[in-house]
Amino acid sequence: MHGRTILLIVGGGIAAFKALELVRALRRAGAHVTPVLTENGARFVTALSLSALAEAPVRQSLWDLEAEATMGHIQLSRAADLIVVCPATANLLARAAAGIADDLATTLLLATDTPVLMVPAMNVRMWQHAATRRNVATLRGDGVTVLDPDEGEMACGEYGPGRLPETEAILAAIAAQLAPTQAARALAGRHALVTAGPTHEAIDPVRFIGNHSSGKQGFAIAAALAAAGARVTLVAGPVHLPTPGGVTRIDVVSAREMAAAVDAALPADIAVMVAAVADWRVEAAPAKLKKGGAGPPALTLVENPDILAAVGHGPRRPRLVIGFAAETGDLIANAAAKLAKKGADWIIANDVSAGVFGAESNHVHRVTAAGAEDWGPAAKDAVAARLVDAIVETLK
Ligand code: CTP
């Protein structure tokens, strides 16, 4: 972040005061901040505080002749390495999505070719409103990174998603957007869909069938895809891992929920199915099963939908479909068989008999129609980076 320039647009919401904390954190990290305060933003924070913390003059109007003479607004919008809108109100999102340019902030957004990161904060109903959902989808489709707000108690007393994410999470998302050299922006404009973690299949209201998947490898891949500039949707089974910066996370529990979330997230350019999906579910009992009497209950298993195969053979097949194979024997042969069965371009095969679950490292082979490649033992982050390099190479 050091030496990079961030144009920070502060919108008019109660969370605007947190933008001041963000400015301090950015300055501490060595970034230059060019602050822009909207008319409504100025009702929540003063230009003076913003300017003092940013150590730079605040731009507030399109019609400030003196400021325009120093640096015109078109140049202003392009001189930055990243434009951050924080807080992005429902109104700002709507105007940006519609391409309206009726003040300095929206004019800058329309005039720029610099990457844009929006950090929404608003009332939970406003965030969930169909109009906002549509606007967010439009912006994301246009290549804008829109973070998901945090869930919690809101300034207005309601509870739900709408809170401004923590400063650290915003910083991480900014870092992910900036990290990139030219090569690392290689997936800009692409949508990547990743599944990760286990699924839990209910036996009754208190018990489930699960597996040892920790989600670490899938989360590392989602983070690496986001760092390469892709828009990432991460469908996560029940795991306790932080959401990587710049990634849209959808939490699910069962295989059927995961299948529905994956279907709803399509279309995508890239699918990486890392989740350890339970192959079978149980016809769940409506009430807790009790012991005693007629001996242990017999569980009837029903096969779950194969999510990877549905994507790989489906009508909206992403250009690149990648599956994982967890095997305890005949690694390459079993993985190769899954290529055709699942309609995948590559299968990343790992031997799970050797304590991979929950570990920080992995030993995988990439199996394609052309054969198998041993990637050797490596940290899960390194496996993710190598996989993303291979994805970039293939989609060139
Ligand atoms: N997979 C999936 N949906 C399922 C089962 C598996 O999407 N219902 C995906 C996994 O995410 C992984 C790949 O398929 O990318 C292979 O998973 P694996 O468990 O190794 O294969 P299975 O199809 O379950 O075959 P088997 O258990 O018989 O080896």
Side-chain angles (χ1 to χ4, degrees):
M1 225 178 268
H2 199 269
R4 312 297 291 277
T5 300
I6 289 156
L7 191 141
L8 176 69
I9 296 174
V10 179
I14 190 74
F17 75 94
K18 292 193 193 160
L20 298 176
E21 194 181 315
L22 179 64
V23 172
R24 290 179 76 149
L26 286 168
R27 292 294 294 143
R28 233 179 275 130
H32 303 291
V33 179
T34 307
V36 170
L37 188 57
T38 66
E39 196 184 331
N40 287 334
R43 296 178 199 272
F44 292 92
V45 295
T46 70
L48 192 61
S49 347
L50 198 54
S51 160
L53 291 172
E55 298 169 80
V58 175
R59 293 286 297 257
Q60 289 186 267
S61 163
L62 200 47
W63 314 112
D64 180 340
L65 292 181
E66 206 178 305
E68 277 294 307
T70 318
M71 191 194 273
H73 65 271
I74 302 280
Q75 200 194 341
L76 184 66
S77 75
R78 296 183 191 161
D81 294 298
L82 178 70
I83 297 183
V84 177
V85 185
C86 175
T89 60
N91 181 40
L92 252 177
L93 291 173
R95 286 186 295 146
I100 291 171
D102 59 356
D103 64 357
L104 179 61
T106 47
T107 305
L108 291 173
L109 290 171
L110 199 61
T112 198
D113 49 9
T114 301
V116 177
L117 172 73
M118 299 229 181
V119 192
M122 66 194 72
N123 167 274
V124 50
R125 298 268 176 277
M126 291 171 87
W127 174 251
Q128 288 169 338
H129 195 283
T132 305
R133 309 277 78 237
R134 216 161 45 228
N135 293 331
V136 168
T138 301
L139 287 165
R140 285 177 175 159
D142 291 347
V144 172
T145 303
V146 184
L147 295 192
D148 281 325
D150 274 359
E151 202 168 311
E153 197 172 337
M154 330 226 28
C156 54
E158 286 183 57
Y159 188 92
R163 285 169 59 93
L164 194 81
E166 295 300 328
T167 304
E168 292 74 54
I170 303 173
L171 278 179
I174 291 175
Q177 293 283 311
L178 286 176
T181 54
Q182 207 47 29
R185 299 289 314 157
L187 295 178
R190 311 265 192 187
H191 179 208
L193 173 59
V194 179
T195 65
T199 64
H200 286 178
E201 311 297 327
I203 295 172
D204 66 16
V206 296
R207 306 177 179 95
F208 61 83
I209 295 180
N211 61 66
H212 293 301
S213 171
S214 66
K216 283 180 187 164
Q217 184 64 78
F219 274 59
I221 290 168
L225 286 163
R231 174 165 75 84
V232 181
T233 305
L234 171 62
V235 180
V239 292
H240 296 286
L241 291 175
T243 309
V247 167
T248 300
R249 172 178 184 167
I250 299 163
D251 284 314
V252 298
V253 176
S254 68
R256 284 192 294 177
E257 280 172 26
M258 187 174 276
V262 163
D263 189 61
L266 288 172
D269 303 288
I270 307 149
V272 191
M273 308 306 224
V274 196
V277 184
D279 288 324
W280 300 281
R281 66 176 178 277
V282 184
E283 293 288 16
K288 187 183 172 195
L289 298 172
K290 303 297 262 183
K291 55 183 185 303
L299 299 181
T300 309
L301 298 178
V302 185
E303 196 162 322
N304 268 330
D306 191 316
I307 304 168
L308 173 58
V311 170
H313 293 299
R316 291 183 294 165
R317 185 187 194 279
R319 175 147 160 229
L320 190 58
V321 176
I322 303 167
F324 268 65
E327 306 291 348
T328 52
D330 280 336
L331 184 63
I332 306 299
N334 278 327
K338 281 178 187 169
L339 273 178
K341 193 173 111 199
K342 309 263 189 175
D345 298 297
W346 309 342
I347 292 286
I348 307 300
N350 56 3
D351 188 334
V352 292
S353 54
V356 166
F357 290 119
E360 296 303 328
S361 63
N362 209 349
H363 180 171
V364 305
H365 290 71
R366 178 172 69 150
V367 181
T368 68
E373 218 173 81
D374 185 348
W375 283 9
K380 286 182 178 174
D381 285 345
V383 171
R386 182 156 181 185
L387 182 66
V388 171
D389 283 347
I391 291 171
V392 167
E393 196 52 40
T394 304
L395 294 184
K396 240 184 210 159

